[in-house]
Amino acid sequence: MNYGEKLRKTGLSLLEGPGNDLVAASNLASADCQLVLFTTGRGTPFGSYVPTMKVATNNEIFQAKPHWMDFNAGRLLNEDKERVLTDFIAKIIAVASGEETRNEENNFREIAIFKNGVTL
């Protein structure tokens, strides 16, 4: 699929686009993605115009920025992996069922359009 193109069929689809966080999330949303799962080790505060569930990859960032983070995957270092997985799936289902993500709670929705050349 090309950048911003809508899904037309079921099954695996590969979406072409840049790796820039917000540009990539805008690309996913434009293709009719209904939830973005975004892992971060630095606590990037963005949120796209669809629910953007930010997953902290370490305990420190989750504790330092609880107003931005939706789930703490850093728990994997100290807890049973099956328990963390169960909680993660439950969180995804809760968000897909209407629970607001942190970016929605904070009314923080952005869009970035891909352009040819350098994107900063």
Side-chain angles (χ1 to χ4, degrees), residues 45-52 54 67-68 70 100-111:
F46 88 90
S48 67
Y49 59 95
V50 298
T52 305
K54 286 187 280 320
H67 55 292
W68 292 347
D70 295 286
E100 288 190 334
T101 59
R102 295 286 191 234
N103 77 289
E104 292 176 301
E105 288 174 0
N106 295 309
N107 199 27
F108 198 72
R109 296 173 178 92
E110 297 179 291
I111 186 172

Side-chain angles (χ1 to χ4, degrees), residues 52-100:
T52 305
M53 195 171 125
K54 286 187 280 320
V55 180
T57 59
N58 60 73
N59 295 318
E60 293 78 16
I61 203 68
F62 186 79
Q63 292 167 359
K65 300 180 180 183
H67 55 292
W68 292 347
M69 299 296 115
D70 295 286
F71 189 82
N72 181 15
R75 294 171 43 199
L76 288 166
L77 297 175
N78 304 316
E79 297 180 33
D80 176 66
K81 291 173 181 44
E82 291 299 319
R83 179 68 202 164
V84 176
L85 175 61
T86 299
D87 291 349
F88 185 54
I89 292 170
K91 181 66 173 181
I92 293 169
I93 291 170
V95 170
S97 299
E99 180 180 298
E100 288 190 334

